[in-house]
Amino acid sequence: MQNVRYLILLLFLSTPEQIKPEYTYIKSLDDVTLADLPLVGGKNASLGQMINALSAEGIRVPHGFAVTVNGYARYIAYNNFAPQIAALINQISDTNDLKNLKKISTEIRELIENGEIPEDLSDEIEQAYQELSLQYNEIACDAAVRSSATAEDLPDASFAGQQDTYLHVQGIEDILFYYKKCLASLFTERAIAYRKEQGFDQEDIALSVGVQKMVRSDLACAGVAFSLDTESGFRDAIIINGSYGLGESIVQGAVTPDEYIVYKQTLSQGFAPIIKKQLGQKSTKIIYGNNRVPLTETVSVSSEDQAHYCLSNEDVLELSRMVMIIENHYAQQYKKRNRNVTAMDIEWAKDGIDGKLYIVQARPETVHTSGQQNTLKLYTLQPDQSNVSDTLLVKGISVGQQIVHGTARIINDLEDIEQINATDIIITDMTNPDWVPAMKQAAGIITNQGGRTCHAAIVSRELGIPAIVGTQDATEKIMQGQPLTLDCSNGAVGLVYDGLIPFTVTTLQLDNIGTPPVPIMVNIADPDSAFKTSMLPTSGIGLVRLEFIITNALKIHPMALLYPEIITDPDIREKIESITAAYPSKIEFFVEQLACAVGMMAAAFYPRPIIVRFSDFKSNEYYNLIGGSYFEPIEENPMIGFRGASRYYHERYKEAFALECQAMKIVRERMGLTNVKLMIPFVRTLTEAQNVIEQMHLNGLDRGVNGLEVIMMCELPSNVMLIKEFSQYFDGFSIGSNDLTQTTLGIDRDSALISPIFNERDPAVIKMLTKAIQEANEVGAYIGICGQAPSDFPDLAQYLMDIGINSVSLTPDTVIPFLMRYTQ
């Protein structure tokens, strides 16, 4: 009978008129818009909206159809389920009673799954499925059967993951089978609890089910994208997570995905601002099941594929443009409905057959949409022991920007959860949607697996509790009942400490912060903290140290990347090969990663200026980089040895300096981040100044071209005495108080024996500072200070402002206390 119907439909659809059958329970996604949300649910309405409104702008969405809420109503009425469901729901008085919640949920789901689909409904589903298959020239196309609730994906209530989705469904029997399972998933324990928490009437909720052509991402990759930074709420970034195979592996937390960040503002100007590329741990992937049962299976990823990014740069940029188109469109749509929606949560998939990128879902991002933009809450750890790192247990990916205390509650299975207390921190391999009722009662979450778009991360954000995911071994290193401090206050890396380490919480109304006499800037070492730090009321970044980035992110001596054949140690060679495996060449690894790190900070503060100092390692510090021992001299006093400007034109390092220059060209020219100024450290003589400027010219960085400003560190007596002469080569100066104190007083600041003599407020140092500022003012050159002294001694900073310094740059933790002095 099914084949006869198929042949009749095939002949029918082959006629010139292409007349489609009249449906009572079905709507093609081609005919759906957001206005149809009450009929087809949030997910289907969003898919239809994109197909109708955005296809012409290059947004590819797989076709499909929605079985409307009328189908749900028909099914429930035909089986007379409503009275039974209502009676069972009424038995739930407390959603924290997880045992009873699970019992009721199981009974309702079994009831619905065992019902009979009325013939008129099943016939329409069959006809629509055959029509979809014909659209793709297949007899029985592979499809995703997706739940779409009427209260799902709303701008102020995200029901993401609350109902079920089934992938790689083929044939009408399976379509009908999983249609019933989707209907039943309206009453999972997580969905029931979530609706009660959000204040929705259980009887007012209905479900539509979407049947959508699968994208063959099992042969390529898939993931999610957000049109803002999910942690800080920074709105000018696009965050993309991707992994091989079907996208479920990311949501389930089975992998730590690759992560890419793209800056919106210069992307819209035609630049290519990929400001972060971080390789994930993609050891497994989900693909189609070989024998149809199960529908999908998890397999291992080859070591070669694990070592490479799943998306090319071109893919990342194309996907980012799609995200911006979708975000702008939905912002306009929701504005018409008086909704404040400016950010989107998007699912994407790449087809391994046609090589194209597709959007398979777009919903409003709800965590940051209603956030108070003028309020800043700062969490600061205040350890009472000499070395807090001694108590560090594990670290992972930070979610939530909070610090909490709690007691470790190790959970190996959902069955282990009876009663979670508000002081419990759940420690587990990975959560899934069934854990939500328990998660909402916990103080925090720590998982072995997952990335920052996995289930645990998404739910933690919605619940407003901190989480650390992807720790790898938290369940092994943390003991049951152990007191913990969970610290998510330091950017992308979350830390878990043994014991209850004191911390403070400061809530600030940024509108109440006063204005100091000169611009206040901030010193930054960690690119991952840039988005959060950019929300401080500062005028830009006064110091970015490239050597910190090289040490923490790149780890390899740049000359070892240029001349790997010199390295004879097989272990070192293997480390270098492993770290750089994702790139076509070792040089490209260094240049692109360095550019991304600087680009991240420049984008965070754009268009405010940031001053990037070329690397200022000492030879002993360079020596400790991977491969460094093959290229660095042994010096008795590296503090005043082969460092700073003297390296940039020297045969032993100038090729590495050229790589630094290439990276800065990428930031300014490819990424379009012209707010980057460049700074030269430890310039001893005028000849050195001339030599460095010449090296920059040879590497395509010319002062004044495209607005490039070059700043010189003022940290030597020779700098102070020759400010006027140095100003011929530089656009301004930035005082390094640590080195100026060292060179003025003749102190090796690495020496513990004479450290008590080191004093930035020594009269000789104060005279140097005063003369530098006065001389710079006389010649009309910019002069600021980026050293540690103003952060440690606010009175010194005030003195410098009083005598005419142009800017003061502070460490992030001292910015607010400093500015509070000027608050009325």
Side-chain angles (χ1 to χ4, degrees), residues 252-255 409-413 426-432 435 445-451 454 456 468-476:
Q252 293 174 4
V255 298
R409 183 75 179 273
I410 299 174
I411 305 295
N412 295 315
D413 190 275
I426 294 175
I427 321 290
T428 189
D429 192 52
M430 174 45 62
T431 66
N432 65 53
W435 290 55
I445 311 289
I446 302 171
T447 68
N448 292 336
Q449 300 182 38
C454 69
I468 298 177
V469 300
T471 63
Q472 307 300 319
D473 54 6
T475 54
E476 297 175 14

Side-chain angles (χ1 to χ4, degrees), residues 618-634:
K618 292 76 181 172
S619 55
N620 59 324
E621 294 168 334
Y622 267 117
Y623 189 94
N624 291 326
L625 293 173
I626 297 172
S629 60
Y630 289 87
F631 300 95
E632 291 299 321
I634 302 296

